[in-house]
Amino acid sequence: MASKKNKSILVSLAHPDDESFGMGGTLAYYASQGVDVYLICATNGDVGTVSPEFMNGYDTIAELRQAELSCAAQHLGLKDVILLNYRDSGMAGTPDNEHPDCLVAAPLDEVAEKVTHYIRKLQPDVVITFDPVGGYHHPDHIAIYEATQKAYEAANDPDKYPEAGAPFQPQALYYHVFPRRFLRLVVRVLKLLGRDPSKFGRNEDIDLEMLAGDEDYPRHVEVDFKPVADKQKQAAQCHASQLDMGPPSLTGRIFNAFRSLAPSKDSFMRAYPPTADDFHATDLFVN
Ligand SMILES: [Zn+2]
């Protein structure tokens, strides 16, 4: 008798660390339940800034960040990591954003065809990517969202990307989303303290104020990853070069204080098949 295929998830993201900082708890949770979790990481993360002490033994930032990613993948229990090897595009308006090898310079069809190939080859039940604003408006996050969306729509159509394998229809496409209410609170507190909420994060490229103004996406599925919360923390620690923020800033401390109040849950909007806004489930595999 043929053995039944394991349930599987394909996650399509932009940078080495997106898998751990974003929805790592959910990935570790499903891996711990015997689900095959595959990750597509579109860029090498070569634009992240790195302090020299982390470069020991590595020739390039891309090599270092790939090593950090394999460390994280082990803690999360990922089945495989697929690198598309684009260059990190940095933020809009920076010279990196103009580089010909960067993800945003690649034609949408080229990236979508690659993602289609992996959907057809791995035959995941569930595909996950960023929301349409890429979580925080990072150009690479938006680019891989667009490519994954297009790939999902093409995967079961024999006329689309015929070179990318035999048609396959996954069960669902989800966007990882996070509640803006939490950010609005952080922005209010930062402003009260005279801080600039538009220059947040290690690379000062996260505009919390703009994010807080974004509309909330529906949260159709909330996955509780409490039993494996430690694995998410260990995976995040693998990305040491991106965690090194020097002495903790007041802004960072406030953000972390708020975040520690949040329960161990990740939220997802179901994009396909479409569902009512008030649909609510606690498992990505529920129909
Ligand atoms: Zn990212």
Side-chain angles (χ1 to χ4, degrees):
M1 197 173 71
S3 64
K4 202 177 162 297
K5 184 179 166 288
N6 283 348
K7 281 188 193 171
S8 59
I9 297 177
L10 175 62
V11 196
S12 185
L13 303 174
H15 305 115
D17 76 9
D18 291 337
E19 80 298 332
S20 297
F21 295 148
M23 63 192 92
T26 295
L27 305 186
Y29 170 73
Y30 280 107
S32 76
Q33 300 295 303
V35 173
D36 292 339
V37 182
Y38 298 93
L39 169 69
I40 289 177
C41 179
T43 79
N44 297 325
D46 26 18
V47 170
T49 51
V50 170
S51 306
E53 68 266 28
F54 290 103
M55 290 304 295
N56 276 340
Y58 297 101
D59 291 333
T60 62
I61 291 179
E63 270 179 37
L64 160 72
R65 296 202 62 190
Q66 280 172 23
E68 291 181 338
L69 175 55
S70 5
C71 166
Q74 268 182 11
H75 284 293
L76 297 176
L78 304 188
K79 180 93 173 166
D80 201 6
V81 176
I82 298 137
L83 300 168
L84 300 187
N85 287 313
Y86 288 100
R87 194 174 194 278
D88 193 329
S89 311
M91 290 307 279
T94 63
D96 290 307
N97 206 240
E98 309 287 322
H99 197 288
D101 296 338
C102 74
L103 178 62
V104 297
L108 174 59
D109 272 325
E110 176 191 301
V111 187
E113 181 166 13
K114 290 181 187 185
V115 178
T116 303
H117 165 75
Y118 288 106
I119 293 177
R120 289 175 178 170
K121 180 179 170 190
L122 300 170
Q123 305 195 336
D125 300 283
V126 164
V127 178
I128 309 176
T129 189
F130 294 108
D131 66 29
V133 298
Y136 70 101
H137 299 267
H138 192 297
D140 283 329
H141 290 204
I142 296 172
I144 196 68
Y145 149 77
E146 286 173 346
T148 307
Q149 173 85 27
K150 194 158 189 192
Y152 189 91
E153 289 166 4
N156 201 33
D157 183 343
D159 295 331
K160 302 266 174 67
Y161 312 126
E163 309 284 298
F168 176 76
Q169 179 64 59
Q171 178 188 312
L173 172 67
Y174 289 96
Y175 305 150
H176 177 232
V177 298
F178 61 93
R180 308 283 157 170
R181 198 183 43 195
F182 157 75
L183 286 179
R184 288 181 197 126
L185 206 59
V186 174
V187 166
R188 284 226 310 264
V189 172
L190 288 174
K191 282 183 161 176
L192 281 173
L193 294 166
R195 303 278 150 165
D196 183 357
S198 69
K199 291 198 171 65
F200 181 71
R202 176 182 165 77
N203 302 312
E204 295 195 343
D205 60 356
I206 302 177
D207 184 343
L208 291 183
E209 187 156 30
M210 176 168 68
L211 289 183
D214 282 346
E215 221 167 293
D216 263 314
Y217 290 101
R219 284 180 281 149
H220 295 132
V221 180
E222 280 187 297
V223 176
D224 186 346
F225 60 84
K226 202 168 194 160
V228 297
D230 280 354
K231 293 188 183 184
Q232 188 270 332
K233 288 199 181 101
Q234 287 156 359
Q237 290 301 323
C238 290
H239 296 285
S241 74
Q242 299 304 299
L243 286 169
D244 163 50
M245 315 254 285
S249 67
L250 181 59
T251 308
R253 283 206 300 262
I254 293 167
F255 188 81
N256 286 335
F258 276 105
R259 193 164 54 179
S260 65
L261 299 174
S264 320
K265 281 184 185 166
D266 288 327
S267 304
F268 300 89
M269 169 182 160
R270 195 172 89 186
Y272 291 97
T275 187
D277 275 2
D278 60 358
F279 175 87
H280 193 78
T282 56
D283 181 1
L284 295 170
F285 291 93
V286 168
N287 274 309

